[in-house]
Amino acid sequence: MKTRQPLIILLLIIFTIMLLTFASFDLHVIIEQSLQLDTIGHFLGFYFLTWFLHKNLSLPLLNICLCMIFYAAVTELSQMYLGFRKGEMSDFIADIVGISLYLAIVWLKRPLLKKEPR
């Protein structure tokens, strides 16, 4: 039962957000006007991509983060040359914030994991 608890909480949060979004058109309009969902997608995408690469590759985390920042820059610069997309600095910053947040969380958890027994 303990292993299902985080999944149930996540599903309840997602369901609540969906319910609030679809229940009120005014709320939906407010969310679209105040938040750039594309930027949030960039943040989450690069956070989870960094997590995935860190967990599945045996490379130093700093190297992965530097490569991810380079990848974010290349993707945004290449979008400037596409007719249907445009490269935005806010998306690049969201990419870096997602990568940096994962890096910070891992570095903050390391001292807790390496505590010596008394």
Coordinates of all heavy atoms in Angstrom, one line a residue, residues 3-50:
T3 N 3.7 1.8 -1.5 CA 4.3 2.1 -2.8 C 3.3 2.7 -3.7 O 3.6 3.4 -4.6 CB 4.8 0.8 -3.4 OG1 3.7 -0.2 -3.6 CG2 5.9 0.2 -2.6
R4 N 2.0 2.5 -3.5 CA 0.9 3.1 -4.3 C 0.6 4.5 -3.9 O -0.1 5.2 -4.6 CB -0.3 2.2 -4.3 CG -0.1 1.0 -5.1 CD -1.4 0.2 -5.2 NE -1.2 -1.0 -5.9 CZ -2.2 -1.8 -6.2 NH1 -3.4 -1.6 -5.7 NH2 -2.0 -2.9 -6.8
Q5 N 0.9 4.9 -2.7 CA 0.5 6.2 -2.1 C 0.9 7.4 -3.0 O 0.1 8.2 -3.3 CB 0.9 6.3 -0.7 CG 0.3 7.5 0.0 CD 0.7 7.6 1.5 OE1 1.5 6.8 1.9 NE2 0.0 8.4 2.2
P6 N 2.2 7.5 -3.4 CA 2.6 8.6 -4.2 C 1.9 8.6 -5.5 O 1.6 9.7 -6.0 CB 4.1 8.4 -4.4 CG 4.6 7.5 -3.3 CD 3.4 6.7 -3.0
L7 N 1.7 7.5 -6.1 CA 1.0 7.4 -7.4 C -0.5 7.9 -7.2 O -1.0 8.7 -8.1 CB 1.0 6.0 -8.0 CG 0.3 5.8 -9.3 CD1 0.9 6.7 -10.4 CD2 0.2 4.4 -9.7
I8 N -1.1 7.5 -6.2 CA -2.5 8.0 -5.9 C -2.6 9.5 -5.7 O -3.4 10.2 -6.2 CB -3.1 7.2 -4.7 CG1 -3.3 5.7 -5.1 CG2 -4.4 7.8 -4.3 CD1 -3.7 4.8 -4.0
I9 N -1.6 10.0 -5.0 CA -1.6 11.4 -4.7 C -1.3 12.2 -6.0 O -2.0 13.2 -6.3 CB -0.5 11.8 -3.7 CG1 -0.9 11.3 -2.3 CG2 -0.2 13.3 -3.6 CD1 0.2 11.4 -1.3
L10 N -0.4 11.7 -6.9 CA -0.2 12.3 -8.2 C -1.4 12.3 -9.0 O -1.7 13.3 -9.7 CB 1.0 11.6 -8.9 CG 1.4 12.2 -10.3 CD1 1.9 13.6 -10.2 CD2 2.4 11.3 -10.9
L11 N -2.1 11.2 -9.1 CA -3.3 11.1 -9.9 C -4.4 12.0 -9.4 O -5.1 12.6 -10.2 CB -3.8 9.7 -9.9 CG -2.9 8.7 -10.7 CD1 -3.5 7.3 -10.6 CD2 -2.9 9.1 -12.2
L12 N -4.5 12.2 -8.1 CA -5.5 13.1 -7.5 C -5.2 14.6 -7.9 O -6.1 15.3 -8.2 CB -5.6 12.9 -6.0 CG -6.3 11.7 -5.5 CD1 -6.2 11.6 -4.0 CD2 -7.8 11.8 -5.9
I13 N -3.9 14.9 -7.8 CA -3.5 16.3 -8.2 C -3.8 16.5 -9.7 O -4.3 17.5 -10.0 CB -2.0 16.5 -7.9 CG1 -1.7 16.5 -6.4 CG2 -1.5 17.8 -8.6 CD1 -0.3 16.5 -6.0
I14 N -3.5 15.6 -10.6 CA -3.7 15.7 -12.0 C -5.2 15.8 -12.2 O -5.7 16.7 -13.0 CB -3.1 14.6 -12.8 CG1 -1.6 14.7 -12.8 CG2 -3.6 14.5 -14.2 CD1 -0.9 13.5 -13.3
F15 N -6.0 15.0 -11.6 CA -7.5 15.0 -11.7 C -8.0 16.3 -11.3 O -8.9 16.9 -11.9 CB -8.1 13.9 -11.0 CG -9.6 13.8 -11.1 CD1 -10.2 13.5 -12.2 CD2 -10.4 14.2 -10.0 CE1 -11.6 13.5 -12.3 CE2 -11.7 14.2 -10.0 CZ -12.4 13.8 -11.2
T16 N -7.5 16.9 -10.2 CA -8.0 18.1 -9.6 C -7.7 19.3 -10.6 O -8.5 20.2 -10.9 CB -7.4 18.4 -8.3 OG1 -7.7 17.4 -7.4 CG2 -7.9 19.7 -7.7
I17 N -6.5 19.3 -11.1 CA -6.1 20.3 -12.1 C -7.0 20.2 -13.4 O -7.5 21.3 -13.9 CB -4.6 20.2 -12.5 CG1 -3.8 20.6 -11.2 CG2 -4.3 21.1 -13.7 CD1 -2.3 20.3 -11.4
M18 N -7.2 19.0 -13.8 CA -8.1 18.9 -15.0 C -9.5 19.3 -14.7 O -10.1 20.0 -15.6 CB -8.0 17.4 -15.5 CG -6.7 17.0 -16.1 SD -6.7 15.2 -16.5 CE -8.1 15.1 -17.6
L19 N -10.0 19.0 -13.6 CA -11.4 19.4 -13.2 C -11.5 20.9 -13.1 O -12.4 21.5 -13.7 CB -11.7 18.7 -11.9 CG -13.2 19.0 -11.4 CD1 -14.1 18.3 -12.4 CD2 -13.3 18.4 -10.0
L20 N -10.5 21.5 -12.5 CA -10.6 23.0 -12.4 C -10.4 23.7 -13.7 O -11.0 24.7 -14.0 CB -9.5 23.5 -11.4 CG -9.7 23.2 -10.0 CD1 -8.4 23.6 -9.2 CD2 -10.9 23.9 -9.4
T21 N -9.6 23.1 -14.6 CA -9.4 23.7 -15.9 C -10.6 23.6 -16.8 O -11.0 24.5 -17.4 CB -8.2 23.0 -16.6 OG1 -7.0 23.1 -15.8 CG2 -7.9 23.6 -18.0
F22 N -11.2 22.4 -16.8 CA -12.4 22.2 -17.7 C -13.7 22.7 -17.0 O -14.7 22.9 -17.8 CB -12.5 20.8 -18.1 CG -11.4 20.3 -18.9 CD1 -10.5 19.3 -18.5 CD2 -11.1 20.9 -20.1 CE1 -9.5 18.9 -19.3 CE2 -10.0 20.5 -20.9 CZ -9.2 19.5 -20.5
A23 N -13.7 22.9 -15.7 CA -15.0 23.3 -15.1 C -15.3 24.7 -15.3 O -16.5 25.1 -15.4 CB -14.9 23.0 -13.6
S24 N -14.3 25.6 -15.5 CA -14.6 27.0 -15.6 C -13.8 27.5 -16.8 O -12.6 27.5 -16.9 CB -14.2 27.7 -14.4 OG -14.2 29.1 -14.6
F25 N -14.6 28.0 -17.8 CA -14.0 28.6 -19.0 C -13.1 29.8 -18.6 O -12.1 30.0 -19.2 CB -15.0 28.9 -20.1 CG -14.4 29.5 -21.3 CD1 -13.7 28.7 -22.2 CD2 -14.5 30.9 -21.5 CE1 -13.1 29.3 -23.3 CE2 -13.9 31.4 -22.7 CZ -13.2 30.6 -23.6
D26 N -13.6 30.6 -17.7 CA -12.9 31.8 -17.2 C -11.5 31.4 -16.7 O -10.5 32.0 -16.9 CB -13.7 32.6 -16.2 CG -14.9 33.2 -16.8 OD1 -14.9 33.4 -18.0 OD2 -15.9 33.4 -16.0
L27 N -11.5 30.3 -15.9 CA -10.2 29.9 -15.3 C -9.3 29.4 -16.4 O -8.1 29.7 -16.4 CB -10.5 28.7 -14.3 CG -9.2 28.1 -13.6 CD1 -8.6 29.2 -12.8 CD2 -9.6 27.0 -12.7
H28 N -9.8 28.7 -17.4 CA -9.0 28.2 -18.5 C -8.4 29.4 -19.3 O -7.2 29.4 -19.6 CB -9.9 27.4 -19.5 CG -9.2 26.7 -20.6 ND1 -9.0 27.3 -21.8 CD2 -8.5 25.6 -20.6 CE1 -8.3 26.5 -22.6 NE2 -7.9 25.4 -21.8
V29 N -9.2 30.5 -19.5 CA -8.7 31.7 -20.2 C -7.6 32.4 -19.4 O -6.6 32.8 -19.9 CB -9.9 32.6 -20.5 CG1 -9.4 34.0 -21.0 CG2 -10.8 32.0 -21.5
I30 N -7.9 32.4 -18.1 CA -6.9 33.1 -17.2 C -5.6 32.3 -17.2 O -4.5 32.9 -17.3 CB -7.4 33.2 -15.7 CG1 -8.6 34.2 -15.7 CG2 -6.4 33.6 -14.7 CD1 -9.4 34.2 -14.4
I31 N -5.6 31.0 -17.1 CA -4.4 30.2 -17.1 C -3.7 30.4 -18.5 O -2.4 30.6 -18.5 CB -4.7 28.7 -16.9 CG1 -5.2 28.5 -15.5 CG2 -3.5 27.8 -17.2 CD1 -5.7 27.1 -15.2
E32 N -4.4 30.4 -19.6 CA -3.7 30.5 -20.9 C -3.1 31.9 -21.0 O -2.0 32.1 -21.6 CB -4.7 30.3 -22.0 CG -5.0 28.8 -22.2 CD -5.9 28.6 -23.5 OE1 -6.3 29.6 -24.1 OE2 -6.1 27.5 -23.7
Q33 N -3.7 32.9 -20.5 CA -3.2 34.3 -20.6 C -2.1 34.6 -19.7 O -1.1 35.3 -20.0 CB -4.3 35.3 -20.4 CG -5.4 35.4 -21.5 CD -6.5 36.3 -21.1 OE1 -6.6 36.8 -20.0 NE2 -7.4 36.5 -22.1
S34 N -2.1 34.0 -18.5 CA -1.0 34.3 -17.5 C 0.2 33.4 -17.6 O 1.3 33.8 -17.2 CB -1.6 34.3 -16.1 OG -2.0 33.0 -15.8
L35 N 0.0 32.2 -18.1 CA 1.1 31.2 -18.1 C 1.4 30.8 -19.6 O 0.5 30.7 -20.4 CB 0.8 30.0 -17.4 CG 0.6 30.1 -15.9 CD1 0.2 28.8 -15.3 CD2 1.8 30.6 -15.2
Q36 N 2.6 30.7 -19.9 CA 3.0 30.2 -21.2 C 3.2 28.7 -21.0 O 4.2 28.3 -20.5 CB 4.2 30.9 -21.8 CG 4.0 32.3 -22.1 CD 5.3 32.9 -22.7 OE1 6.3 32.3 -22.7 NE2 5.2 34.1 -23.1
L37 N 2.2 27.9 -21.5 CA 2.3 26.5 -21.3 C 3.5 25.9 -22.0 O 4.1 24.9 -21.6 CB 1.0 25.8 -21.7 CG -0.2 26.2 -20.9 CD1 -1.4 25.5 -21.4 CD2 0.0 25.9 -19.4
D38 N 3.9 26.5 -23.1 CA 5.1 26.0 -23.8 C 6.4 26.1 -22.9 O 7.2 25.2 -22.9 CB 5.3 26.8 -25.1 CG 6.4 26.3 -25.9 OD1 6.5 25.1 -26.2 OD2 7.3 27.1 -26.4
T39 N 6.5 27.2 -22.2 CA 7.6 27.4 -21.3 C 7.6 26.4 -20.2 O 8.6 25.9 -19.8 CB 7.6 28.8 -20.8 OG1 7.6 29.7 -21.9 CG2 8.8 29.1 -19.9
I40 N 6.4 26.1 -19.6 CA 6.3 25.1 -18.6 C 6.7 23.8 -19.1 O 7.4 23.0 -18.5 CB 4.9 25.1 -18.0 CG1 4.6 26.4 -17.3 CG2 4.7 23.9 -17.0 CD1 3.2 26.6 -16.8
G41 N 6.3 23.5 -20.4 CA 6.7 22.2 -21.0 C 8.2 22.1 -21.2 O 8.7 21.0 -21.0
H42 N 8.8 23.2 -21.5 CA 10.3 23.2 -21.6 C 10.9 22.9 -20.3 O 11.9 22.1 -20.2 CB 10.8 24.5 -22.2 CG 10.7 24.6 -23.7 ND1 11.8 24.3 -24.5 CD2 9.7 25.0 -24.5 CE1 11.5 24.5 -25.7 NE2 10.2 24.9 -25.7
F43 N 10.4 23.5 -19.2 CA 11.0 23.3 -17.9 C 10.9 21.9 -17.5 O 11.8 21.2 -17.1 CB 10.3 24.2 -16.9 CG 10.5 23.9 -15.5 CD1 11.7 24.2 -14.9 CD2 9.6 23.2 -14.7 CE1 12.0 23.9 -13.6 CE2 9.8 22.9 -13.4 CZ 11.1 23.2 -12.8
L44 N 9.6 21.3 -17.6 CA 9.4 19.9 -17.2 C 10.2 18.9 -18.1 O 10.7 18.0 -17.6 CB 7.9 19.6 -17.2 CG 7.1 20.3 -16.1 CD1 5.6 20.1 -16.3 CD2 7.5 19.9 -14.7
G45 N 10.2 19.2 -19.4 CA 10.8 18.3 -20.3 C 12.3 18.2 -20.0 O 12.9 17.1 -20.0
F46 N 13.0 19.3 -19.8 CA 14.4 19.3 -19.6 C 14.7 18.8 -18.2 O 15.8 18.1 -18.0 CB 15.1 20.6 -19.9 CG 15.4 20.8 -21.3 CD1 14.5 21.1 -22.2 CD2 16.7 20.5 -21.8 CE1 14.8 21.3 -23.6 CE2 17.0 20.6 -23.1 CZ 16.1 21.0 -24.0
Y47 N 13.9 19.0 -17.2 CA 14.1 18.4 -15.9 C 14.0 16.9 -16.0 O 15.0 16.2 -15.5 CB 13.0 18.9 -14.9 CG 13.1 18.3 -13.5 CD1 13.9 18.8 -12.6 CD2 12.4 17.2 -13.2 CE1 14.1 18.2 -11.3 CE2 12.5 16.6 -12.0 CZ 13.3 17.1 -11.0 OH 13.4 16.5 -9.8
F48 N 13.0 16.4 -16.6 CA 12.9 14.9 -16.6 C 13.9 14.3 -17.6 O 14.3 13.1 -17.4 CB 11.4 14.5 -17.0 CG 10.5 14.7 -15.8 CD1 9.5 15.6 -15.9 CD2 10.6 13.9 -14.7 CE1 8.6 15.8 -14.8 CE2 9.8 14.1 -13.6 CZ 8.8 15.1 -13.7
L49 N 14.3 15.0 -18.7 CA 15.3 14.5 -19.6 C 16.6 14.4 -18.8 O 17.4 13.4 -19.0 CB 15.4 15.3 -20.8 CG 16.4 14.8 -21.9 CD1 16.0 13.4 -22.3 CD2 16.4 15.8 -23.1
T50 N 17.0 15.4 -18.0 CA 18.2 15.3 -17.2 C 18.1 14.2 -16.2 O 19.1 13.5 -16.0 CB 18.4 16.7 -16.5 OG1 18.4 17.7 -17.5 CG2 19.7 16.7 -15.8

